[in-house]
Amino acid sequence: MGPITFVKEYWRVLFLVVFITGALVALFIPGGIMADDSLAGDESVGDNPTNLEYGLGLDGGTRISAPVVGMTAENIDAGAVDEEGRVDRERLTEIENTLYEELDLDTGNVSVSHDDDGNVHAELFTDQRTEQEFADALGEAGVEVNPDEDIRDGVTAQTRSQMVETIQSKINAAGLSGGNAYESEQLGGNYYIVTEVPDMSPDELREILSDRGIVEVRAYYPDENGNQTNETVLEGSDIETVDPPRPAEEGTGYRVPVQVDSNAAPVYQERMNELGFTSDEGIRQCSLRGDGETISFDHGDEPQYCLLTVVDDEVVDAHSMGGDLAQSMSDGTWANDPSFTMGAQTQQQGQTLSVNLQAGPLPAPLDFSQEQTYSLSPTLADQFKLYSLLIGALSVLTVSSVVFLRYRDVRVAAPMVVTAMAEVVILLGFAALIRMPLDLSHVAGFIAVVGTGVDDLIIIADEVMDDGDVNSQRVFESRFRKAFWVIGAAAATTIIAMSPLAVLSLGDLRGFAIITILGVLIGVLITRPAYGDILQRLMTRK
């Protein structure tokens, strides 16, 4: 048999061998595909012998614990709640705006809210103002408080809960990180926000937590006197849905498609018309350019009509109003389908913008001057590796025994067990290749993949053997084709059922769905056909 004939006859098996080899390289070869560039100068590859540590996040991680920056005036008499417990939200907004004006604070540093019992609380998320200044500003809003008795350090339980939810969304935005955030009460009654993330350095995690993620769209336009001014026309809370960033169709940079909330869309549309962005003078009249990181506002005396994408008071992109968008806003039809794109100069900025819009802004900053940082020990991870290998070996022996008892034929049972193990190795290799941290949701996905894989292999074996002896290649192929139709239909059903979970930001469920879909695709495209070829060679005379 020549080499070309051999490849034609065994191409599925060769395909399987190549994938297994690649998976083993990603998992076990020192300094291979996933060699870590972050090793300290006195460390060698021998100190970190396998890429399994990096690929599956079993080598520890980082925990950062820090309090929330802020002070709170609790149970204030704001005149915003009537005798029946109804809250005047306009009054709360009025107090909030007064605090911004009197204290000269940036967006996101003030909150005036009420709890379920109708108690009103005012919070200040900065350490740049004193309690006396806070009390004076509340006095200007018509709220009398004593700075020594009515104002305390720290934020409300509601704000801390929102902090935990937002951080959890940020660190799990991809559904693969396995991170966790929770609230912890320290001695003295102080509350800390604790964030744990595997396979991440303290500096990387601190950078994520230090970004508030306050996103705004600002209109930059000439006022009545011809002087350039700007105002916020959209906030992150006005964005309903967000798509992943993609390269701009025209020019450079990236675009993040967004869908505006139906309540905010008419207001935004009306304001664009009022400011002249939809007129002939405003369409495509933005010449601000950036250097890849920041935007330059040096444009001389030329009038500018720019929509600025601002994250944490930093302008990350500036673009003009397009003709089609301006036309739809001008005739009032845009608000019926309120979508457009926000810009970013780099892919990283675009990804950060997308994550911030999905997770929402952090209600308050963390006080990193009081942080407690820990490097999570890999001791438990080492035990997990050992126990996983033991349980895996026991599972293989159990499955092998059951399969052999079912068919009483080593030609059927042996390749079935080997193929099932190969499927797991390939999936683990893929996880190592993309440095996917392993948590319980992914373990559940592996279990589901192994279960469906063995089921499919049993379907193939039953279909091939139940109708009598296999005495020719034609008979085998006919029976195998029937079994594969069943397997393909089941795989399609699984993928369709799991796709919504893989797309939606549902935390652990998303990781489970992604692993399950990948396992099903590997099985249908690689391991099941390879098992068929192996079984055919063993069962037929050819």
Side-chain angles (χ1 to χ4, degrees):
M1 180 185 294
I4 297 178
T5 304
F6 181 83
V7 171
K8 288 181 178 179
E9 293 274 350
Y10 294 98
W11 69 271
R12 293 186 180 91
V13 179
L14 291 174
F15 202 31
L16 177 63
V17 172
V18 169
F19 267 83
I20 295 175
T21 304
L24 292 174
V25 169
L27 282 169
F28 297 112
I29 299 300
I33 298 175
M34 289 302 300
D36 195 347
D37 295 327
S38 63
L39 298 178
D42 58 349
E43 291 181 335
S44 65
V45 175
D47 297 325
N48 297 271
T50 73
N51 292 313
L52 179 63
E53 301 174 277
Y54 301 109
L56 298 180
L58 297 179
D59 200 34
T62 298
R63 175 195 294 145
I64 290 182
S65 176
V68 183
V69 175
M71 63 180 76
T72 303
E74 290 184 309
N75 301 327
I76 61 177
D77 184 9
V81 182
D82 60 21
E83 295 180 354
E84 298 180 359
R86 291 175 298 192
V87 178
D88 185 353
R89 299 185 183 278
E90 293 184 0
R91 172 59 178 158
L92 299 184
T93 303
E94 178 187 341
I95 298 173
E96 195 170 286
N97 291 337
T98 302
L99 291 176
Y100 274 117
E101 293 176 7
E102 294 296 324
L103 298 173
D104 190 24
L105 296 173
D106 295 329
T107 301
N109 283 324
V110 172
S111 175
V112 180
S113 59
H114 66 90
D115 57 26
D116 295 336
D117 297 327
N119 300 314
V120 177
H121 314 292
E123 297 173 275
L124 207 62
F125 306 128
T126 179
D127 55 5
Q128 303 300 314
R129 301 293 184 271
T130 65
E131 294 178 352
Q132 184 62 56
E133 290 174 326
F134 188 17
D136 293 341
L138 285 171
E140 292 295 327
V143 180
E144 298 300 327
V145 298
N146 186 321
D148 298 325
E149 299 178 1
D150 301 327
I151 298 178
R152 64 168 178 84
D153 288 334
V155 298
T156 62
Q158 180 180 0
T159 297
R160 294 195 302 269
S161 177
Q162 292 175 353
M163 291 282 293
V164 170
E165 291 179 5
T166 303
I167 292 174
Q168 189 76 45
S169 297
K170 284 180 179 291
I171 61 179
N172 290 325
L176 300 173
S177 74
N180 187 34
Y182 57 91
E183 182 182 334
S184 175
E185 184 176 3
Q186 307 291 317
L187 293 176
N190 297 322
Y191 290 91
Y192 279 60
I193 303 298
V194 183
T195 307
E196 300 174 345
V197 176
D199 197 25
M200 182 175 286
S201 69
D203 289 339
E204 290 175 320
L205 180 57
R206 194 176 295 110
E207 182 178 354
I208 292 175
L209 298 178
S210 62
D211 293 334
R212 293 284 301 278
I214 300 175
V215 180
E216 301 172 283
V217 174
R218 295 180 185 173
Y220 183 69
Y221 64 96
D223 61 14
E224 299 174 347
N225 300 320
N227 299 320
Q228 291 291 143
T229 186
N230 71 84
E231 68 173 79
T232 300
V233 290
L234 270 183
E235 298 179 348
S237 58
D238 298 325
I239 305 299
E240 185 173 353
T241 59
V242 185
D243 290 337
R246 61 192 185 196
E249 296 179 358
E250 298 180 4
T252 60
Y254 286 79
R255 293 289 178 262
V256 179
V258 299
Q259 185 86 12
V260 181
D261 182 78
S262 58
N263 295 320
V267 179
Y268 176 63
Q269 176 180 264
E270 181 180 357
R271 194 57 182 153
M272 289 292 95
N273 291 328
E274 292 175 351
L275 297 180
F277 277 79
T278 59
S279 65
D280 293 338
E281 293 79 14
I283 297 176
R284 301 190 181 280
Q285 294 299 316
C286 180
S287 59
L288 303 186
R289 294 293 179 266
D291 58 4
E293 293 293 336
T294 59
I295 298 293
S296 173
F297 284 83
D298 183 15
H299 53 78
D301 297 330
E302 184 181 358
Q304 300 291 312
Y305 287 84
C306 300
L307 295 171
L308 309 179
T309 302
V310 182
V311 180
D312 292 337
D313 286 321
E314 179 184 352
V315 180
V316 299
D317 188 69
H319 59 278
S320 57
M321 174 72 73
D324 294 339
L325 182 59
Q327 178 61 38
S328 63
M329 285 191 171
S330 180
D331 59 27
T333 59
W334 177 81
N336 298 328
D337 182 20
S339 60
F340 71 105
T341 59
M342 300 177 68
Q345 296 186 79
T346 65
Q347 184 178 15
Q348 181 178 1
Q349 288 180 339
Q351 183 63 29
T352 301
L353 176 62
S354 178
V355 169
N356 287 334
L357 287 172
Q358 292 181 55
L362 280 176
L366 294 174
D367 186 0
F368 292 104
S369 65
Q370 301 183 48
E371 78 171 48
Q372 301 170 4
T373 304
Y374 307 91
S375 294
L376 302 180
S377 171
T379 303
L380 293 177
D382 292 337
Q383 295 179 9
F384 179 74
K385 296 176 189 177
L386 176 61
Y387 295 152
S388 297
L389 291 175
L390 292 176
I391 294 299
L394 181 60
S395 300
V396 169
L397 290 175
T398 303
V399 172
S400 302
S401 301
V402 172
V403 170
F404 181 76
L405 291 174
R406 168 69 175 82
Y407 294 104
R408 303 285 183 174
D409 192 336
V410 70
R411 295 177 302 170
V412 178
M416 183 181 297
V417 174
V418 172
T419 304
M421 292 175 60
E423 192 170 318
V424 175
V425 171
I426 293 173
L427 197 53
L428 283 171
F430 177 81
L433 188 64
I434 65 173
R435 301 185 66 177
M436 179 190 297
L438 186 65
D439 61 18
L440 290 179
S441 68
H442 303 121
V443 172
F446 275 93
I447 293 173
V449 167
V450 172
T452 58
V454 174
D455 284 346
D456 290 347
L457 297 178
I458 290 176
I459 290 174
I460 293 175
D462 281 350
E463 186 66 37
V464 169
M465 300 180 63
D466 277 355
D467 293 333
D469 293 337
V470 181
N471 51 25
S472 70
Q473 180 180 359
R474 179 178 299 176
V475 171
F476 178 90
E477 290 180 350
S478 175
R479 295 177 183 180
F480 178 79
R481 194 176 299 113
K482 293 178 181 179
F484 205 80
W485 273 109
V486 176
I487 293 171
T493 302
T494 301
I495 293 173
I496 293 172
M498 290 293 174
S499 293
L501 297 180
V503 174
L504 300 176
S505 299
L506 297 177
D508 290 344
L509 288 177
R510 189 177 187 187
F512 168 76
I514 291 174
I515 288 292
T516 304
I517 291 174
L518 288 174
V520 169
L521 289 175
I522 289 172
V524 171
L525 299 178
I526 303 172
T527 57
R528 315 288 195 271
Y531 175 70
D533 278 358
I534 296 172
L535 195 60
Q536 174 186 326
R537 278 299 173 185
L538 294 176
M539 299 297 294
T540 61
R541 298 173 182 175
K542 181 178 178 180

